[in-house]
Amino acid sequence: MSSEGFLKEMQTIGEKFLLKLQKLPKAEPVEIVSFCVVLLFIVTVLLLMVIACSCCCYSCCSCDGRPDHRRRKIQVRPIAH
């Protein structure tokens, strides 16, 4: 998918979302609850992705101030007698 096609698709989804939000005050209670559940699911997935990525980057990039022992190479030297 080209970037123009992706942008067009995102614009279409955004327009549908705004239309749904405009119709929400006049909607039935079941429709309002189902919309809120779907919205809560999307927000939860995005939040979990952000948490997972931040935890991964935190442990891999040595952001905690401790050196990362997996990346450090130990040079082995012969014992002098």
Side-chain angles (χ1 to χ4, degrees):
M1 177 182 278
S2 67
S3 61
E4 291 179 11
F6 179 73
L7 290 176
K8 182 71 174 169
E9 188 69 27
M10 290 303 293
Q11 182 179 7
T12 304
I13 291 172
E15 289 172 358
K16 288 180 183 179
F17 183 72
L18 286 176
L19 184 64
K20 191 72 163 172
L21 282 176
Q22 289 172 351
K23 291 182 179 180
L24 202 56
K26 302 171 195 163
E28 296 180 15
V30 174
E31 193 174 358
I32 293 172
V33 170
S34 63
F35 182 76
C36 289
V37 167
V38 169
L39 193 61
L40 182 65
F41 175 76
I42 292 170
V43 168
T44 303
V45 168
L46 291 175
L47 182 66
L48 288 175
M49 285 176 48
V50 167
I51 290 171
C53 289
S54 64
C55 288
C56 181
C57 289
Y58 183 78
S59 65
C60 291
C61 299
S62 297
C63 297
D64 55 353
R66 296 179 301 184
D68 191 2
H69 296 292
R70 294 175 290 174
R71 291 187 183 185
R72 186 173 47 161
K73 294 181 180 178
I74 299 173
Q75 188 175 10
V76 179
R77 296 181 184 172
I79 299 174
H81 292 292

